[in-house]
Amino acid sequence: MAVEGPPTEAPPGPAPRLPPGPFDVVVLGGGAAGLWCAGTAAARGRRVLLLEKNRRVGVKVLASGGGHCNVTTTLGVAALLDAFPRPQGRFLAASMRALSPADLRRALDGLGVPTEEGPLEKVWPVSMRARDVADALLRRATAAGVVVATGVPAVDLVRDAGALRVRTSSGDVVAPRVVVAVGGRSYPKTGTTGDGYPWMEAFGHRVTRCVPALAPLVVETPWVRALAGIAEAGARVRAVRDGKTLAERTRPVLFTHTGLSGPGPMDVSRWFELAAPWSRPTLEIDLSPAASEDAFRAAFLARVAAAPAEPVARLLAASTHGGPDLPARLGESLCEHAGVAPKRRAGETSKAERHALVLAVKRLTLPVAGSRGYDFAEVTAGGVALDEVDPATMASRVVPGLHVVGEILDVDGPIGGLNFQAAFATGEAAGRAL
């Protein structure tokens, strides 16, 4: 991701002054969840202060989608909830009723940011400018009366005589309600450095194990890295352990100089981080998912019978169903992986070699060393335990007056605008309850 706009660090010099209160609500974090929550609460007549550690709000919004911002999804609410791990989908049901993807698109259109649908159920601003989304979120908040203070990092959050005290580098602010929307640990260049987890634990909240998610996979196999730059648009990717499929996605795969990227590998990356190194799953890729293994085998053998003098790599790459041929270099590498010379005449291959070639396409199995970590992760898997948060209001079940929204929650979905949608929806649910 590339961040659009000026550096995010607070400018040098004296710490900014806190705006005078009193405030009904203090929102910590000016990302998608925090901005939306603040705007909703202020529109209901609440006096809202939003504190952001960076010198501008919406930094992660600006960084998303290569500066284009895949803001939500075309999926309906039921399909959207099914795309999240089951406990998370159940938790998000109430907030998605408060703000569905269709609701969000209508709201953005009303803010001057019309959206359009793209491949893989994605929704983008028509302008393809993440800056337009970030500006609209800030405009919505300030128009409702939210007071925004940037360059003011919260350093602690404590109880204070029936209220909550936010300690900052510019002094303290006390309010009856505080919303924690500081994000997780993913892509820390945008300021999401896990600040909120110690606060929540100090309050007695349970924070589940956090790992990078939606991150490229590290595959140390040399021939995989040698294919850097090659993409396969239609592939089925599985994380498999002990014969059990932990996760499966049919999405594009991109070969890189460090392994594999693209929506398919990134969507299953959480499973390789959650497992200990000695129990990591393996990655299994079907490069021709439109055909069953038997159908692919029949098509390949038919090509071999029809053109026995052709190089086997060419016939293997041309045997895919429902899409274009595999890239030539990929076909050659699959042959080498199966132990067959790519330029060998197809008719000269043995039955065992042809079987190995079919498996190389339909059940390509690769060892994964892990992901590229938080610096390259789009979200954090893990966070504040969901059973300690009211799903209808995002209110803490542990601390009166505390609400928790966005990525700091134990919520992470696949690529395609689902995590932004979860941020906006949880922000809306909290904003209505404040």
Side-chain angles (χ1 to χ4, degrees), residues 63-252:
S64 67
H68 303 305
C69 191
N70 171 199
V71 70
T72 187
T73 175
T74 63
L75 294 174
V77 170
L80 166 64
L81 297 176
D82 283 345
F84 284 85
R86 184 168 296 175
Q88 299 181 15
R90 286 198 300 266
F91 176 83
L92 290 170
S95 58
M96 292 298 174
R97 287 194 294 270
L99 186 75
S100 70
D103 295 333
L104 177 61
R105 293 183 68 181
R106 284 191 289 269
L108 289 173
D109 188 71
L111 292 168
V113 185
T115 58
E116 63 183 5
E117 299 179 2
L120 304 176
E121 300 95 39
K122 295 182 177 182
V123 172
W124 308 87
V126 170
S127 67
M128 295 299 286
R129 284 171 49 90
R131 184 187 295 275
D132 293 345
V133 177
D135 288 349
L137 298 180
L138 178 59
R139 200 163 54 244
R140 175 180 182 269
T142 55
V146 176
V147 178
V148 177
T150 58
V152 183
V155 297
D156 202 1
L157 177 60
V158 296
R159 301 190 206 211
D160 188 321
L164 293 165
R165 179 178 294 272
V166 181
R167 291 176 174 153
T168 82
S169 56
S170 301
D172 293 0
V173 57
V174 177
R177 295 183 181 271
V178 170
V179 180
V180 179
V182 294
R185 289 197 177 103
S186 63
Y187 206 53
K189 290 180 181 178
T190 62
T192 48
T193 51
D195 302 347
Y197 299 129
W199 307 338
M200 301 305 296
E201 289 177 323
F203 278 138
H205 267 280
R206 188 173 82 260
V207 175
T208 65
R209 183 184 170 206
C210 295
V211 298
L214 303 188
L217 295 177
V218 175
V219 179
E220 295 172 347
T221 307
W223 71 262
V224 171
R225 295 187 173 199
L227 292 172
I230 286 181
E232 179 53 34
R236 181 176 295 129
V237 179
R238 296 187 183 96
V240 180
R241 184 170 57 215
D242 300 328
K244 178 182 179 182
T245 298
L246 303 176
E248 178 180 308
R249 294 285 284 167
T250 301
R251 286 292 188 267

